[in-house]
Amino acid sequence: MTVISTDKNPEALSLTLVAEFDAGVERVWQLFEDPRRLERWWGPPTYPATFYKHDFVPGGRASYYMTGPGGDKAHGWWEFTSIESPRELQFDDGFADSDGNPTGEFGISHATVTLEPLGERSRMTMLSTFESEEQLEQMMQMGMEEGLKEAVGQMDGILAEHANA
């Protein structure tokens, strides 16, 4: 399992996930930069993601949906606020309608993904911050922490496939 720890901090309105990989930061970065690789792990195995827009530049947007076991679709969006390849990525995140437009439902969260080299390995720290304690609790009740752990747990398999990429 790649996930080392998760920490929910109601005082800081945050959820932090730390994972380590048997791959350098450049290869882990590709799992965010390439939408075909991103959609293979973003979302737990029972809710795979499809990215139909992925404008990976500061100010750019990504639009996606996750398809549940019964065929239901949960739509989301990201707005990239900072990209410092291959070390740090920041984006705002929220729910969307079927056309990819933000709904405002459940508020907006902000994610900061930091990649650090550990020799030939790497550590990823994913910090999600929320607008309120109520929003944080809503996301936890919806299964965000467990879903994120399951999603990130899929990254090793993709990295192994692309070991020579």
Side-chain angles (χ1 to χ4, degrees), residues 21-28 30-31 34 37 40 120-121 154-165:
F21 305 100
D22 288 326
V25 295
E26 292 81 8
R27 288 197 25 243
V28 177
Q30 291 173 354
L31 299 187
D34 178 346
R37 292 181 190 181
R40 292 191 52 211
E120 293 184 17
R121 304 181 76 235
Q154 301 173 106
M155 293 172 77
D156 271 334
I158 301 163
L159 290 166
E161 290 173 12
H162 298 281
N164 298 318

Side-chain angles (χ1 to χ4, degrees), residues 2-75:
T2 58
V3 176
I4 304 301
S5 66
T6 57
D7 177 46
K8 181 181 91 170
N9 185 332
E11 292 79 31
L13 302 177
S14 68
L15 174 68
T16 304
L17 178 141
V18 178
E20 291 183 0
F21 305 100
D22 288 326
V25 295
E26 292 81 8
R27 288 197 25 243
V28 177
W29 183 262
Q30 291 173 354
L31 299 187
F32 289 92
E33 188 175 52
D34 178 346
R36 303 294 71 91
R37 292 181 190 181
L38 176 61
E39 67 189 6
R40 292 191 52 211
W41 70 269
W42 186 255
T46 56
Y47 266 84
T50 301
F51 279 79
Y52 56 93
K53 181 178 181 182
H54 190 262
D55 188 15
F56 196 70
V57 296
R61 293 184 74 107
S63 297
Y64 68 95
Y65 58 87
M66 296 190 298
T67 305
D72 56 306
K73 292 183 176 164
H75 292 262

